[in-house]
Amino acid sequence: MISEQERQNMVHFLVMYFGSDLNQLKNLSDSMLESTYEFAYTRTLMECDF
């Protein structure tokens, strides 16, 4: 279970950097939000390497 602050940070990152829909992200389960965040964050790191 993630804290409310962690959830807000993940949602903020996804909205700011990937233009995700805030309403859809609010409805995601914790595990799905974490998986989506990990994927997006890893992709951002990969883009920085190029």
Side-chain angles (χ1 to χ4, degrees), residues 2 7 10 14 24-25 27-40:
I2 60 176
R7 177 176 267 283
M10 288 179 192
L14 292 168
Q24 289 181 347
L25 294 174
N27 294 328
L28 288 179
S29 67
D30 285 351
S31 61
M32 183 61 87
L33 181 60
E34 283 182 298
S35 296
T36 304
Y37 173 79
E38 287 297 324
F39 171 78

Side-chain angles (χ1 to χ4, degrees), residues 1-13 30 33 37:
M1 183 100 188
I2 60 176
S3 71
E4 186 59 32
Q5 184 62 45
E6 288 173 318
R7 177 176 267 283
Q8 288 176 2
N9 289 342
M10 288 179 192
V11 168
H12 178 74
F13 174 81
D30 285 351
L33 181 60
Y37 173 79

Side-chain angles (χ1 to χ4, degrees), residues 17-30:
Y17 292 98
F18 292 95
S20 302
D21 183 20
L22 180 61
N23 292 324
Q24 289 181 347
L25 294 174
K26 285 183 177 180
N27 294 328
L28 288 179
S29 67
D30 285 351

Side-chain angles (χ1 to χ4, degrees), residues 13 36-49:
F13 174 81
T36 304
Y37 173 79
E38 287 297 324
F39 171 78
Y41 187 74
T42 302
R43 185 176 172 109
T44 302
L45 291 177
M46 287 174 44
E47 289 176 359
C48 290
D49 290 340

